[in-house]
Structures are given as C-alpha cells and as structure tokens.
C-alpha cells in the first residue's frame, strides 16, 4: 500500500531533526541565567546602600572639617560658616585635590556620573575600571564637602555602576548581562540616596538600559527595591523633600502649570548650552586640565562668599524652595548664583552630580515664575509650592529628556499625589521644547561630541514580529545540498538571524513545525528584503480611509435605494 507524501516537501533525517534547538531548553537556560543576574544585582544593591551611607557621611565629615573645623558626621550646611574671605580658598583646595586624584588615579572620576556610565555601556561592553568604585566617592566627597555645588546622587550612581561592572567582570556572563548589573548598581544607588525606587527603574530604562524586557527590568527592579529598603534602614522613611500638602488644581491652574513647564523647557535648553560653552572655554585654557577643577573651585568660593546658600549639596535649599515661605529675593539669588557656580564647577571637570543642582535651579525658577503670575493674576489658583515642584521636575525633564523619571521622582520624593496632573502637563511641555529644539541633552552632549550615538527610541525588534513562513522561498528547496542548519516555519526572523550569525551561514533550510518536513529555504537576502519592506511601510504615509470613496459609495447606494422605491 502506497502512502502519499505532501508535495514539494522533503523529509528531514532523524540526525538533523535531533540537532534542532529546543525552545523549552532555551527558555530554561535563559530563566536560570536571569535568576543568577538578579541575585548578583540584589547583592550589589545591598553593598551600594551601605556605600551611599558612607558617601553621605564622608561628605558631611569633609564639610564639617572644611567649614567648621569639627570632626563630625552630622549634617551642617556650609552656608552657616563664619570663615569670611577664607571661604573662597576652600573650594579651590578641594579642586586641587580632585585634579591630583584624576591625574594620578583615574581621569574617569571627572564629570557627573551618568554620561560616563552611558558611554561605558555603549562603547566598552559595560566594563568600568574597578578603581572607580572607591576613587569616585572619595573625590566627590572632597569636591562636595569643600563647597562644590553638587548632589551626592551623581557620584553614587557612578559608584554603583562601577561596582556592578566590577562584580560582573568576576563572573562568566555576557556583555548584556553585565550591562544589566551595571544599571542595577547605578539605579540602586539613586534609590538608596532618595528612596525613589520607581523613578530609579525609569532612569535605568531611559538613560542606561536603552531597552525594556523581562531579562533587564527584573534585576534592575529588584535592585531598586533593595536600595529603597536600604534608604529606609540607613536614612529616613519620610519624604526626602517634605513640602506643604497641595490641593487638586483647577483646569485654569493646570493650564498655567503646563505653560510654566514650556517656559522651563526653554530655560533647560539655555542652561545646557551654557554649561557646555563653559566647558569649551576650559578646553582652550593654556594650562594642564589637572588645574581646571581648582580654577572652578575658586569661582565657586567667590560666588559662595556672596551667596553662601550655593555651597554644598543644597538638599535643604530644595526643601526651602518647596516650602513656599522663602522670600522672592532669596529665591532669585539662589537661582542665578547656584546656576553660575554649578555651571563653572561642572565645566571645569571636577567630580559631582547634576540632579540636585537641576532640581534647585528648576524649583527656584518655578517659584519665581509662579510668584510673578500671581502678582498679575492673584485669583488664578496657582500655588507657590506647586509651581516650585513642577519647575523642579520640568527642568530635569527638559535638560535630560528623562520624561518618566522626572515625573515619578517628584511624586516619590515629595509624596504629593495631587501633583500628578500638573507634573504631567509641565514635564510634557518641557520635553516637547527639548525634543524639537535640542539635538542632544545635558546627559548625551559630552559623549555625542566623542562620536558616541545614544539611542532615543525603544521600539520592538521588527524581525521579532515576522515569522519565517512569511518570508521563506518555497520553490527553492535544495535537497541535494549539504545544509546542516534549519529553522521552523513558526520561528521568527530574529531567531533565524541569530542562527545565521552563530553558524556563519547565508542560507537555512526551513522545516514544517508539525511534520518536520522540508518546505523551503531562507537566505539572508530574504531577511533584508523583508526588513526593507517593513521599514518602508512604517515610513510611508498613506490614507487608510478615503472620505471621497466613501461618499461615492453612499451616493451609489442612495440611488439604488431610490430606484427600488420607484419600482
């Protein structure tokens, strides 16, 4: 009795069929590796939580020694010093020490942390020198403790990234897994400083990972939760920036807050350009770069003599601005001189962070704009604390383009849920200005100048959407050739590309997923053609519904109905 075989198919030998990859085994291996990376990430987060506490205590210690002559770990604002003219020299001394550490230790300690981590992820397979793990916090503690107008978050993000990268280099893992551990360490540091795990997760997605998948987001989320637990254990359980409770705004107030966000976006654009213009000016100085932080420190000291509130971390400044009780003159002074001091210090290449200065400048700007609007329209429903909060968040959104991070950070740091809609409107306005008018952000400009491209879109892999059966050649079955590698009709083109790259093959056999019968072939040209077609479909604009065609159809249908009624 003869059995019929499907036409145009060739049976696959048992040996070849047994060599085909098993998806269930592959998923098991991936999940096992994911569990391993998650455990490492949590361990890094635990370590970075304690390092964050050490960094903050070290900053306090250097501050107390420098400005008050006391060996004390408690926080004291350098604005309350009584040194007189001597205050000018202290930041310059800190700059000299940082310059020496950069020269004889590692040049990588210069900068504010996040761009450097981004560059290592994009260009160096997430490999950071282990020395940065201790050089960065020490140099930052010296720079900030001697009056540098920076926050502790940038250095701890850089330190967490360096620690994650170092731990990742000790294990046999892939470059992508090391990237995840680096991002987990960096964002766990932010979560440990501020107690904002959700914002830290979004920071990883928007500025470090450049992707969103279970394999990357789960370890980072676990690390950020661990960092937040470390914050509650080692620091405080309340809001980092406490402020008066805000009411739900009216529609009129909501519209004004959104306009404040747009104005803040223009301020963020100008701020970014000035910072890098100052950095360019330092590049033209006829002296070694080691002395630049000292020059920047001297400028910080001079400004700090006339405006003491510009010295140091300045988290208390943010709380003061958000309170709505500071006089307008003090807020204006803080806004202008804090920006000037920070821009010069950052341009000099010293070690510090950007988030706290951006929050301070943005909060002060929002409070000033809100005060001016209330002066002209006292019944518009604005609140000075709310204006300061949305200015703070919109400034960070416009300068960094970390849109979701900016919104969630403001909510978590202040615990003001009623501020959600104003924050959404203001950050959207600021983001729009930044996106349309700025080519790079304050985070990406430096590495863009070095020729490093930073991804700005996170789309699904188009090859993951297309099945092999949609592209394969059914009339080109090469039964006589020696093809050892096959894919199934239900596999994606992504899997086919991975197999081609792994086996250095230009053509693959395609077998039916159920019968294991050979049904066609797949070449790299087929994949490129499919990718090109999909790209053109996404770029070509066309009308899917034609009103003219539908109008003609309606006229024809009406005439047919009239004719039937006449009959």
């Amino acid at each position: 009795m003869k059995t019929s075989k499907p036409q145009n198919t060739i049976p696959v030998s048992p040996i070849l069929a047994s060599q085909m990859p098993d998806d269930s085994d592959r998923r098991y291996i991936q999940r096992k590796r994911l569990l391993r990376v998650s455990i490492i990430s949590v361990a890094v987060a635990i370590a970075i939580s304690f390092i964050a506490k050490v960094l903050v205590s070290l900053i306090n210690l250097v501050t107390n020694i420098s400005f008050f002559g006391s060996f004390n770990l408690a926080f004291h604002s350098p604005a309350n010093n009584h040194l007189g003219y001597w205050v000018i020299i202290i930041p310059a001394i800190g700059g000299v020490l940082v310059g020496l550490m950069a020269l004889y230790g590692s040049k990588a300690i210069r900068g504010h942390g996040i761009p450097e981590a981004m560059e290592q992820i994009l260009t160096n397979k997430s490999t950071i020198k282990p020395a940065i793990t201790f050089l960065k916090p020490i140099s930052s503690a010296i720079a900030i403790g001697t009056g540098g107008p920076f926050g502790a978050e940038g250095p701890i993000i850089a330190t967490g990234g360096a620690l994650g990268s170092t731990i990742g280099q000790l294990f046999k893992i892939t470059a992508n897994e090391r990237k995840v551990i680096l991002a987990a360490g960096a964002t766990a540091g932010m979560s440990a400083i501020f107690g904002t795990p959700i914002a830290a997760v979004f920071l990883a997605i928007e500025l470090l990972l450049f992707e969103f998948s279970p394999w990357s987001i789960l370890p980072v989320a676990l690390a950020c939760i661990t960092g937040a637990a470390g914050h509650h254990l080692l620091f405080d359980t309340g809001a980092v920036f406490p402020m008066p409770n805000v009411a739900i705004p009216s529609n009129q107030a909501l519209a004004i807050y959104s306009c404040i966000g747009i104005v803040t976006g223009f301020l963020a654009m100008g701020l970014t350009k000035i910072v890098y213009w100052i950095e360019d000016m330092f590049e033209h100085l006829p002296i070694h770069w080691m002395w630049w932080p000292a020059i920047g420190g001297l400028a910080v000291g001079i400004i700090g003599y006339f405006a003491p509130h510009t010295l140091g971390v300045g988290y208390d400044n943010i709380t003061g601005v958000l309170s709505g009780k500071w006089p307008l003159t003090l807020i204006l002074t803080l806004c202008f001189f804090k920006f000037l001091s920070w821009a010069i210090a950052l341009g000099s290449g010293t070690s510090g962070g950007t988030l706290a200065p951006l929050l301070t400048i943005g909060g002060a700007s929002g409070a000033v704009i809100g005060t001016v609007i209330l002066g002209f329209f006292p019944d518009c429903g604005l609140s000075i604390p709310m204006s300061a909060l949305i200015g703070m968040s919109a400034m960070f959104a416009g300068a960094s383009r970390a849109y979701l991070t900016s919104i969630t950070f403001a909510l978590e740091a202040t615990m003001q849920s009623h501020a959600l809609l104003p924050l959404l409107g203001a950050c959207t306005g600021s983001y729009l200005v930044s996106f349309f008018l700025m080519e790079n952000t304050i985070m990406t400009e430096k590495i863009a100048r070095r020729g490093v491209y930073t991804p700005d879109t996170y789309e699904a892999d188009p090859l993951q959407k297309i099945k092999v059966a949609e592209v394969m050649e059914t009339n080109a079955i090469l039964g006589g050739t020696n093809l050892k590698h096959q894919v199934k009709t239900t596999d994606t083109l992504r899997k086919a590309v991975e197999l081609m790259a792994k086996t250095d093959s230009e053509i693959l056999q395609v077998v039916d997923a159920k019968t294991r019968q050979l049904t066609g072939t797949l070449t790299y040209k087929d994949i490129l053609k499919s990718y090109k077609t999909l790209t053109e479909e996404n770029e070509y604009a066309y009308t899917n519904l034609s009103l003219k065609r539908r109008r003609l159809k309606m006229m024809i249908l009406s005439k047919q109905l009239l004719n039937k009624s006449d009959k």
Side-chain angles (χ1 to χ4, degrees), residues 87-102 110 142-143 146 148 150 282 285 287-302 341 344-351:
V87 75
I88 298 174
I89 305 299
I90 292 176
I93 295 174
V96 172
L97 295 176
V98 171
L100 290 171
M101 291 183 68
R110 304 173 70 217
I142 294 173
T146 54
F150 305 106
F282 272 99
L285 290 178
I287 58 175
H288 194 276
W289 58 260
M290 187 205 80
W291 299 106
W292 297 353
I295 298 173
L298 189 63
V300 169
I302 294 173
S341 176
I344 295 174
L346 191 65
S348 70
T350 191
S351 182

Side-chain angles (χ1 to χ4, degrees), residues 371-561:
T371 302
V372 171
I373 294 175
L374 280 174
F376 287 97
F377 308 101
D379 298 325
C380 64
L382 288 191
S383 161
I384 298 301
M386 180 74 86
S387 299
L389 179 62
I390 65 166
M392 179 178 86
S393 185
M395 181 64 75
F396 185 53
S400 68
R401 247 177 252 164
Y403 175 67
L404 297 175
T405 305
S406 303
I407 296 172
T408 52
F409 177 83
L411 289 174
E412 287 185 289
T414 61
M415 298 185 180
Q416 297 293 328
S417 58
H418 289 166
L420 177 58
L421 284 179
L423 285 170
L424 188 63
C427 289
T428 301
S430 181
Y431 188 93
L432 280 171
V433 173
S434 175
F435 179 77
F436 282 105
L437 300 180
M438 287 175 60
E439 184 177 357
N440 297 301
T441 70
I442 199 167
M443 302 297 180
T444 61
E445 176 69 25
K446 179 182 292 187
I447 59 177
R449 292 181 176 189
R450 297 171 184 166
V452 179
Y453 168 73
T454 305
D456 57 0
T457 56
Y458 314 115
E459 299 178 355
D461 186 352
L463 299 181
Q464 194 75 20
K465 306 175 185 178
I466 307 174
K467 302 293 184 183
V468 169
E470 302 174 33
V471 182
M472 69 177 189
E473 294 287 342
T474 55
N475 295 325
I477 301 176
L478 305 178
T481 60
N482 186 23
L483 297 180
K484 298 181 180 180
H485 308 289
Q486 307 92 22
V487 287
K488 295 180 288 188
T489 52
T490 54
D491 288 336
T492 64
L493 291 188
R494 166 75 177 271
K495 186 174 182 179
V497 168
E498 290 176 352
L499 183 58
M500 284 181 173
K502 185 177 181 180
T503 60
D504 195 22
S505 303
E506 295 184 356
I507 184 170
L508 301 174
Q509 290 181 334
V510 182
V511 298
D512 187 270
K514 295 181 179 179
T515 64
R516 292 295 194 272
Q517 298 289 326
L518 182 61
T519 58
T521 57
L522 179 71
T523 67
Y524 75 94
K525 290 185 178 180
D526 297 330
I527 297 175
L528 291 176
K529 183 179 179 181
S530 176
Y531 182 81
K532 179 183 177 183
T533 302
L534 186 63
T535 304
E536 290 175 348
E537 288 177 355
N538 291 333
E539 293 178 351
Y540 176 70
Y542 61 92
T543 303
N544 198 33
L545 292 176
S546 174
L547 296 179
K548 182 178 180 180
R549 190 183 303 116
R550 292 182 68 85
R551 187 166 61 249
L552 290 174
K553 287 183 179 180
M554 291 296 295
M555 292 175 62
I556 295 172
L557 182 61
S558 300
K559 287 182 179 181
Q560 291 177 348
L561 291 175

Side-chain angles (χ1 to χ4, degrees), residues 10 101 336 340 542:
I10 299 175
M101 291 183 68
F336 176 74
L340 189 62
Y542 61 92

